[in-house]
């Protein structure tokens, strides 16, 4: 009998709703912001040397929160320089949020934004069809490799677009996170389609090592409050469960035994810790900075 479970990616509105709740309930962006404040200046220290324009490509830029922070760091390093910031983002809703954010942000006079409402794969196909291979001084792919069909090929393609002093920055869940524990055990039971797959830093490291690429690795601590997941019928809890399992309406459509096992797994120390009466899921991230 066919399972009634559907991939969360098949329902873009619910996906966005659960994703935004995940951001509100986790220290994800806080951890990234700390990295951008503390470590990014070193990463971008020479990307614009000798240039009159810096070209930045944001792959999966979302609503632009982290993109604008990255831009502020590039501006601080290269005051007054012209920056072309191209954004690949398939969600029209996220792009309109991004544009609102840009409109509300000062000091962006020297930044030219171009949005491409398409997936990374569509962008690559379009560039190949147009026989274009524009080079970039900085490319970042933040929490987006789960949504590409072919991870090694995607990394290879964007890496091939780096200028001589450029960097490719990837952020993904860490191999030591609760995601790894949950998905290594139950991923095959979740209804993944070709829109979405599980990949962690451990997988990307293997890809980079086999390609012989040079990279630096940084681990970021992060957690997500999943206490509401254990309150039967709680709407936020159900949305967070959907996000954790990439399943639309997981608590309503999952077989009872799978649901029981997943709920049990989420409480285990490999996934979460209990603190002040809350269940905090390990959302640790890895930042990988790849050399040209």
């Amino acid at each position: 009998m066919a399972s009634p479970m559907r991939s969360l990616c098949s329902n873009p509105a619910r996906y966005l709703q659960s994703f935004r709740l995940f951001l509100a309930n986790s220290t994800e962006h806080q951890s990234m912001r700390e990295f951008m404040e503390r470590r990014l200046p070193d990463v971008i220290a020479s990307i614009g040397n000798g240039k009159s324009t810096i070209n930045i490509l944001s792959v999966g830029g979302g609503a632009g929160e982290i993109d604008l922070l990255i831009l502020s760091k590039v501006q601080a390093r290269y005051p007054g320089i012209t920056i072309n910031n191209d954004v690949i983002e398939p969600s029209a809703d996220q792009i309109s949020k991004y544009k609102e954010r840009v409109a509300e942000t000062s000091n962006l006079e020297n930044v030219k934004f171009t949005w491409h409402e398409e997936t990374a794969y569509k962008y690559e196909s379009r560039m190949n069809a147009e026989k274009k291979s524009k080079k970039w001084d900085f490319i970042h792919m933040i929490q987006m490799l789960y949504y590409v069909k072919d991870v090694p090929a995607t990394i290879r393609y964007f890496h091939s677009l780096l200028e001589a002093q450029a960097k490719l920055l990837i952020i993904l869940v860490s191999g030591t996170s609760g995601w790894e524990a949950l998905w290594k055990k139950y991923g095959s039971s979740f209804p993944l389609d070709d829109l979405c797959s599980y990949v962690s830093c451990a997988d990307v490291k293997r890809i980079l090592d086999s390609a012989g690429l040079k990279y630096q690795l940084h681990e970021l601590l992060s957690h997500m409050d999943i206490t509401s997941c254990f309150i039967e019928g709680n709407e936020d809890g159900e949305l967070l469960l959907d996000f954790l399992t990439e399943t639309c309406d997981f608590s309503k459509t999952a077989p009872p035994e799978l649901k029981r096992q997943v709920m049990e797994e989420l409480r285990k120390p490999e996934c979460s810790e209990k603190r002040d009466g809350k269940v905090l899921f390990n959302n640790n991230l890895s930042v990988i900075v790849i050399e040209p």
Side-chain angles (χ1 to χ4, degrees):
M1 193 179 95
S3 155
M5 290 167 76
R6 280 188 315 129
S7 163
L8 183 58
C9 292
S10 66
N11 183 336
R14 189 165 175 91
Y15 171 79
L16 260 188
Q17 203 185 353
S18 69
F19 174 63
R20 286 178 181 153
L21 185 65
F22 155 72
L23 288 180
N25 271 44
S26 74
T27 59
E28 167 115 351
H29 274 181
Q30 190 184 320
S31 303
M32 288 185 195
R33 273 194 290 271
E34 277 174 27
F35 174 84
M36 300 305 170
E37 293 290 349
R38 296 230 275 293
R39 303 288 188 85
L40 189 68
D42 290 339
V43 172
I44 58 163
S46 58
I47 61 167
N49 288 4
K51 293 181 175 267
S52 57
T53 304
I54 293 178
N55 296 310
I56 297 177
L57 181 62
S58 163
V59 188
E65 301 99 321
I66 303 298
D67 285 23
L68 292 189
L69 182 54
I70 290 172
L71 285 169
S72 73
K73 296 298 162 199
V74 175
Q75 286 177 309
R77 171 65 186 89
Y78 296 100
I81 199 166
T82 302
I83 299 171
N84 292 320
N85 188 70
D86 279 45
V87 182
I88 300 169
E89 170 54 56
S91 164
D93 194 56
Q94 290 284 70
I95 288 178
S96 84
K97 291 265 188 312
Y98 196 136
K99 289 178 175 174
E100 281 168 27
R101 192 167 261 117
V102 167
E104 292 159 5
T105 306
S106 53
N107 305 326
L108 291 174
E109 299 77 29
N110 62 334
V111 184
K112 180 176 174 283
F113 289 89
T114 308
W115 286 273
H116 306 277
E117 190 188 312
E118 59 192 347
T119 62
Y121 180 70
K122 287 253 174 63
Y123 176 86
E124 179 182 343
S125 308
R126 189 167 59 80
M127 288 298 130
N128 288 337
E130 294 172 12
K131 305 235 180 317
K132 285 182 185 162
S133 60
K134 183 175 162 70
K135 296 282 187 183
W136 302 89
D137 301 304
F138 189 53
I139 301 176
H140 52 87
M141 312 169 84
I142 297 177
Q143 290 287 49
M144 59 68 66
L145 281 173
Y146 322 108
Y147 309 109
V148 304
K149 279 193 177 76
D150 185 335
V151 175
T154 301
I155 293 174
R156 251 197 324 274
Y157 172 70
F158 287 103
H159 182 266
S160 75
L161 305 181
L162 291 177
E163 288 278 18
Q165 0 189 59
K167 298 276 190 282
L168 169 59
L169 180 140
I170 294 174
I171 302 184
L172 271 181
V173 295
S174 164
T176 63
S177 67
W179 295 98
E180 186 83 350
L182 179 68
W183 278 79
K184 284 283 176 267
K185 209 162 179 180
Y186 294 107
S188 58
S189 307
F190 300 147
L192 287 186
D193 52 22
D194 60 3
L195 295 172
C196 177
S197 63
Y198 176 72
V199 56
S200 79
C201 171
D203 304 309
V204 171
K205 270 178 64 177
R206 279 192 291 276
I207 293 166
L208 298 178
D209 289 338
S210 71
L213 295 176
K214 289 215 310 243
Y215 59 91
Q216 292 91 42
L217 199 57
H218 308 268
E219 290 286 314
L220 312 184
L221 298 178
S222 174
H223 64 257
M224 161 170 57
D225 184 346
I226 59 167
T227 317
S228 59
C229 293
F230 301 96
I231 303 166
E232 196 63 44
N234 182 290
E235 201 179 324
D236 281 0
E238 291 185 356
L239 274 168
L240 289 175
L241 264 178
D242 284 11
F243 194 74
L244 285 162
T245 60
E246 289 289 341
T247 303
C248 198
D249 290 315
F250 177 80
S251 50
K252 293 189 178 76
T253 62
E257 184 54 21
L258 176 64
K259 185 181 172 185
R260 189 191 62 74
Q261 289 172 338
V262 165
M263 300 310 287
E264 203 174 282
E265 186 69 26
L266 286 173
R267 283 188 186 274
K268 288 184 180 170
E270 293 80 5
C271 278
S272 302
E273 61 167 317
K274 275 201 123 146
R275 203 189 307 161
D276 306 327
K278 291 179 176 166
V279 184
L280 301 178
F281 183 79
N282 177 330
N283 185 53
N284 288 357
L285 304 166
S286 296
V287 181
I288 308 165
V289 180
I290 308 166
E291 306 289 328

